[in-house]
Amino acid sequence: MEIQVKHKGTFGREMFLSIPWEECVGDYEKSFKKLRRKIKLPGFRPGKVPKQVLVNQYQPLIEAEFLEHNIQSYYQRALKNEEIEPINKAEISDVEFNYGQTFIFKASFDVEPVINLPKLKKNKLHVVKPVYETDEEDISFAIEEFCRSHTKIETVEDGAKIDDFIICDLQETDLTGNPLIGQKIEKQFLKVGDPHLSEETNAALKGIKSGDMRPITMESGDKKSYYHVNVINVERHTLPEVNDEFVTQIDPEVSDVAAWKEKIREAITRRYEDSSEEQFSQHIIDAYIQYVNPEYPESMADAYLDSLVEDVKQSGDKVKDENKLREMFRPSAIRNLKYYLIRKMLVKDQNISVSSDEIDEEIQKRCKVNQDKANEISKYYRKPSNKKRLSDELIERKITEFLKQFTKVKIETIKTADLRKKELEHTHEH
């Protein structure tokens, strides 16, 4: 087999293959015999039609059978011989095949680019690192959320009072009280005294009991809607009192409320520090991608987008406009594709790797931090795919540490009070 490979631009390759008849005659005979078993002609038993009769009548069909089953075989052999790995399906063209003659065809495909990483110098990568400034309200919110998770819920028999919750079905009605078909909302929660409800509605809800039905009016701007409240149940939610007895019961490691609050403060600080480091690492990688800005074959981007769209389909989500979905995914797909190419070359250039001892050490560290879930964590990392993900994560850490020495860092202080304000504004908008 004679193989010639031509470069078409940075990524394109054209492979010209010439297979002498002596090399392909055996495969041709196999195709002939396979087709011979299928063809039935009057006067001949199946599989016993003389060769020349078949050649005279079915030569094009025999050649098509040969080409269908052998082009890919010769192509794969040529790739292995030339040590080439295509990244897309080859386009086969310029096929020339005649009985007794050399078999010729061309395969056009793309290859993965080889990235030449530029040299890095000190302060070459300009990166912003967010640093979070927490306050006492963070602790108050954490305690409030924790207390809510330990709320004592009691069924109320003697009628709802302020701050009680009513579980009910809401049947919308017209102004005269007639129900509107198809406008029933089941199992809703209404809180007596909720400031979002009118004084008239809150007054109507006071004293209501399980099984009761009352008309109420709900207002939204200038619009009024009318409902019948069908009460399923009335609940009273009592938050626990935060005292030494309560905190020592839920966390035997603390001695009093002050120690518990300090532990919460440390956990909040640690969470924001982890978030800061995670974002900082991401910013470093993004800065390096922008600095290298490698070229990539469009076929590789298309294949990556194809896989993303397929993942959405497999998740059960309906894809109404595939082109719009691909357009939405494209920026992140290009970013990830560029990083894949850069990362592969950087790991090779800097000889970055992770040993099995390092992986085991990290697993032990995670078990120690979460001792109550140590067995689950250990079991989770026995699965090879999960251990592989951990290995990739540790390599990411080493890449980030390598790039940090070339990074000029600008600290951006972010107050958690400002984050809470933005979140509140976002909630009001929606």
Side-chain angles (χ1 to χ4, degrees):
M1 183 191 308
E2 184 180 338
I3 306 167
Q4 291 183 354
V5 179
K6 290 185 178 180
H7 288 225
K8 296 289 287 186
T10 309
F11 321 111
R13 299 292 183 270
E14 287 184 343
M15 179 183 282
F16 298 86
L17 290 91
S18 298
I19 305 100
W21 175 249
E22 292 75 18
E23 286 187 36
C24 58
V25 64
D27 294 321
Y28 179 85
E29 290 297 329
K30 288 179 183 177
S31 297
F32 173 81
K33 290 176 182 178
K34 187 175 181 182
L35 195 62
R36 188 182 204 177
R37 288 193 293 269
K38 297 178 183 178
I39 293 175
K40 296 179 181 180
L41 287 178
F44 299 99
R45 285 183 297 161
K48 298 298 182 179
V49 180
K51 183 175 182 180
Q52 195 55 47
V53 173
L54 284 178
V55 170
N56 291 340
Q57 294 191 38
Y58 295 99
Q59 181 67 23
L61 193 59
I62 297 169
E63 292 179 358
E65 177 84 12
F66 167 77
L67 294 174
E68 181 182 351
H69 291 91
N70 290 282
I71 282 182
Q72 283 299 318
S73 174
Y74 295 135
Y75 169 58
Q76 292 299 327
R77 281 166 52 190
L79 290 174
K80 186 175 181 180
N81 186 74
E82 297 296 312
E83 297 183 344
I84 297 176
E85 292 185 17
I87 58 171
N88 62 333
K89 186 177 180 180
E91 178 184 333
I92 305 299
S93 62
D94 300 351
V95 179
E96 295 181 21
F97 178 76
N98 289 294
Y99 183 83
Q101 296 180 15
T102 299
F103 175 28
I104 297 171
F105 68 91
K106 180 176 77 172
S108 303
F109 53 87
D110 289 334
V111 295
E112 189 175 293
V114 177
I115 305 300
N116 294 315
L117 297 176
K119 288 186 178 180
L120 279 165
K121 296 179 181 179
K122 190 176 180 182
N123 297 332
K124 191 65 181 179
L125 305 176
H126 292 230
V127 178
V128 172
K129 180 179 182 179
V131 174
Y132 293 93
E133 189 177 294
T134 61
D135 56 26
E136 289 302 312
E137 200 164 348
D138 289 320
I139 299 171
S140 298
F141 271 122
I143 291 173
E144 188 177 324
E145 286 296 318
F146 190 85
C147 287
R148 281 203 192 99
S149 68
H150 287 75
T151 297
K152 182 182 178 182
I153 300 175
E154 301 172 284
T155 297
V156 176
E157 304 287 355
D158 58 350
K161 298 179 181 179
I162 294 293
D163 292 334
D164 285 345
F165 289 89
I166 299 166
I167 300 98
C168 60
D169 293 336
L170 293 174
Q171 174 61 63
E172 190 172 358
T173 69
D174 60 18
L175 187 59
T176 63
N178 292 316
L180 300 177
I181 304 302
Q183 298 301 313
K184 184 178 181 180
I185 310 171
E186 296 183 340
K187 291 188 179 179
Q188 295 296 296
F189 276 76
L190 296 177
K191 185 178 180 181
V192 183
D194 189 331
H196 294 97
L197 300 176
S198 67
E199 290 184 15
E200 180 185 355
T201 300
N202 276 315
L205 295 175
K206 285 181 183 177
I208 204 167
K209 299 178 182 178
S210 176
D212 285 354
M213 183 178 76
R214 290 186 189 176
I216 63 169
T217 303
M218 307 282 275
E219 298 180 10
S220 179
D222 296 332
K223 183 185 176 182
K224 287 188 177 183
S225 300
Y226 306 95
Y227 295 90
H228 277 149
V229 177
N230 298 294
V231 182
I232 300 170
N233 197 22
V234 180
E235 294 180 349
R236 184 161 295 154
H237 295 189
T238 305
L239 294 175
E241 182 183 350
V242 179
N243 53 33
D244 292 348
E245 182 182 0
F246 171 68
V247 300
T248 52
Q249 281 180 351
I250 60 173
D251 188 350
E253 293 184 2
V254 300
S255 56
D256 52 29
V257 173
W260 186 56
K261 286 185 177 180
E262 185 59 32
K263 191 172 182 178
I264 291 174
R265 185 196 308 277
E266 291 172 0
I268 291 171
T269 300
R270 188 164 55 249
R271 188 178 77 236
Y272 277 112
E273 285 176 349
D274 290 344
S275 177
S276 172
E277 284 301 323
E278 185 178 336
Q279 292 179 69
F280 181 42
S281 297
Q282 195 67 46
H283 293 169
I284 290 173
I285 297 299
D286 287 338
Y288 190 51
I289 292 171
Q290 188 175 359
Y291 174 61
V292 179
N293 194 26
E295 290 184 89
Y296 59 89
E298 198 59 38
S299 59
M300 204 171 185
D302 288 339
Y304 191 79
L305 285 167
D306 288 342
S307 67
L308 291 176
V309 172
E310 189 59 31
D311 286 345
V312 174
K313 291 178 179 178
Q314 291 295 328
S315 69
D317 292 342
K318 291 184 179 179
V319 179
K320 294 181 180 179
D321 190 335
E322 191 170 309
N323 289 330
K324 187 174 286 186
L325 190 64
R326 292 172 70 88
E327 186 180 336
M328 182 180 73
F329 281 149
R330 187 171 178 81
S332 61
I334 297 305
R335 183 263 180 206
N336 292 339
L337 174 55
K338 287 182 176 181
Y339 183 54
Y340 162 78
L341 297 171
I342 293 169
R343 183 186 188 274
K344 188 175 182 180
M345 191 55 62
L346 186 62
V347 166
K348 182 180 178 182
D349 282 0
Q350 299 301 321
N351 197 26
I352 297 173
S353 62
V354 175
S355 67
S356 57
D357 288 343
E358 289 176 297
I359 294 172
D360 291 340
E361 186 180 336
E362 180 65 23
I363 294 172
Q364 289 172 12
K365 189 184 297 182
R366 295 186 181 193
C367 289
K368 190 174 181 181
V369 172
N370 300 279
Q371 292 183 1
D372 54 330
K373 295 182 179 180
N375 289 335
E376 294 176 40
I377 294 170
S378 181
K379 184 179 178 181
Y380 176 81
Y381 286 115
R382 286 194 200 112
K383 192 174 180 180
S385 60
N386 294 332
K387 188 171 279 192
K388 174 65 170 60
R389 277 194 287 271
L390 178 58
S391 175
D392 289 340
E393 185 181 326
L394 296 179
I395 286 176
E396 289 299 308
R397 285 188 198 174
K398 291 190 176 186
I399 289 173
T400 304
E401 287 303 314
F402 169 74
L403 294 175
K404 276 182 181 179
Q405 59 187 311
F406 308 105
T407 301
K408 183 176 182 180
V409 183
K410 179 183 178 182
I411 300 297
E412 179 186 14
T413 302
I414 301 173
K415 294 184 178 181
T416 54
D418 293 334
L419 295 179
R420 291 194 301 270
K421 184 179 177 182
K422 287 181 181 178
E423 187 176 346
L424 188 61
E425 290 172 352
H426 179 75
T427 303
H428 287 163
E429 286 174 2
H430 293 78

